[in-house]
Amino acid sequence: NAGVTQTPKFQVLKTGQSMTLQCAQDMNHEYMSWYRQDPGMGLRLIHYSVGAGITDQGEVPNGYNVSRSTTEDFPLRLLSAAPSQTSVYFCASKETGTGGTEAFFGQGTRLTVV
Amino acid sequence: AQSVSQHNHHVILSEAASLELGCNYSYGGTVNLFWYVQYPGQHLQLLLKYFSGDPLVKGIKGFEAEFIKSKFSFNLRKPSVQWSDTAEYFCAGRKGSQGNLIFGKGTKLSVKP
């Protein structure tokens, strides 16, 4: 049971560099999302997707791009990293449907931008 | 805008003390509510969830929460905490079953042995 897998677990970037945080799930969930966690701020939604080919912005989308070409994968791209993007990033997925369902979270990626 | 509020930033208790962490949400109608726990250096784990039905929800590790619709609250309780409960606790909610999950800012719990 892999669940939601995020890579890498840790990353250090220099200001201005770009990178992609990977997220994959093997539960055939339609809904996937990215959050960032900062001290005292809880988790804030960056982007989300309700299915392949469909993405939308969350609360804090600036500086991040996403795409959803397959059901399984939902990568998060930082085009030009800034120190303000130093954070822990969590990917989550859940089923969609009429009933309530819980979200499953990945292990997180700790990103430091210097 | 939809929001979830947690009243306490940091709670310090001695072992065997009772715990209650407050959580309020801002939206009416059908809600799904959750409590997650994050142990130091680890990812989020689901403690319990409320979708409908019995407003008293029991979760893992002896935790429970009560959904009080009239107060827009979903407080987390545990009758007797242990040192191993030291962690950060997040309340989260969404409108209906399809909305985006919105998190509170978290409450750090420190349990002194």
Side-chain angles (χ1 to χ4, degrees):
Chain A
N1 287 356
V4 180
T5 303
Q6 289 183 236
T7 55
K9 287 187 169 52
F10 301 94
Q11 183 71 49
V12 179
L13 287 179
K14 293 182 179 178
T15 298
Q17 285 185 316
S18 63
M19 81 159 293
T20 299
L21 308 186
Q22 301 291 345
C23 176
Q25 52 92 8
D26 61 359
M27 296 172 282
N28 203 32
H29 288 168
E30 291 293 326
Y31 179 96
M32 296 185 74
S33 56
W34 277 102
Y35 290 85
R36 60 177 289 173
Q37 182 184 18
D38 302 292
M41 301 294 291
L43 279 79
R44 293 179 292 170
L45 183 66
I46 305 172
H47 285 285
Y48 65 98
S49 169
V50 297
I54 306 169
T55 63
D56 207 344
Q57 296 180 350
E59 180 186 355
V60 288
N62 291 343
Y64 307 96
N65 275 359
V66 291
S67 59
R68 185 91 180 273
S69 56
T70 67
T71 299
E72 295 77 20
D73 300 298
F74 191 44
L76 178 72
R77 279 183 288 276
L78 283 71
L79 301 177
S80 178
S84 61
Q85 294 178 303
T86 292
S87 187
V88 181
Y89 292 84
F90 288 99
C91 179
S93 74
K94 75 175 185 72
E95 293 177 354
T96 54
T98 55
T101 57
E102 68 184 82
F104 294 83
F105 285 83
Q107 299 268 356
T109 296
R110 185 174 293 274
L111 175 67
T112 303
V113 182
V114 297
Chain B
Q2 299 169 18
S3 66
V4 173
S5 302
Q6 292 183 241
H7 311 308
N8 310 100
H9 178 62
H10 192 186
V11 172
I12 302 172
L13 296 174
S14 298
E15 275 194 316
S18 64
L19 170 72
E20 181 161 2
L21 301 182
C23 173
N24 286 91
Y25 59 95
S26 66
Y27 35 96
T30 302
V31 294
N32 290 177
L33 296 163
F34 306 82
W35 276 98
Y36 287 88
V37 61
Q38 186 178 35
Y39 298 103
Q42 296 194 21
H43 65 297
L44 293 167
Q45 298 178 36
L46 182 67
L47 274 179
L48 47 78
K49 59 193 176 189
Y50 172 79
F51 295 151
S52 64
D54 189 343
L56 186 60
V57 180
K58 294 194 184 299
I60 61 171
K61 303 178 189 281
F63 286 92
E64 66 178 31
E66 186 175 11
F67 171 60
I68 303 180
K69 191 173 183 178
S70 60
K71 295 184 178 180
F72 295 86
S73 70
F74 189 58
N75 293 354
L76 181 71
R77 300 193 293 245
K78 186 171 185 179
S80 176
V81 295
Q82 301 171 322
W83 176 80
S84 58
D85 292 324
T86 294
E88 190 159 15
Y89 293 80
F90 293 94
C91 182
R94 63 176 178 234
K95 194 170 176 62
S97 62
Q98 302 307 318
N100 290 316
L101 202 57
I102 296 172
F103 284 82
K105 294 186 176 182
T107 298
K108 285 187 180 175
L109 172 66
S110 299
V111 180
K112 298 183 292 185

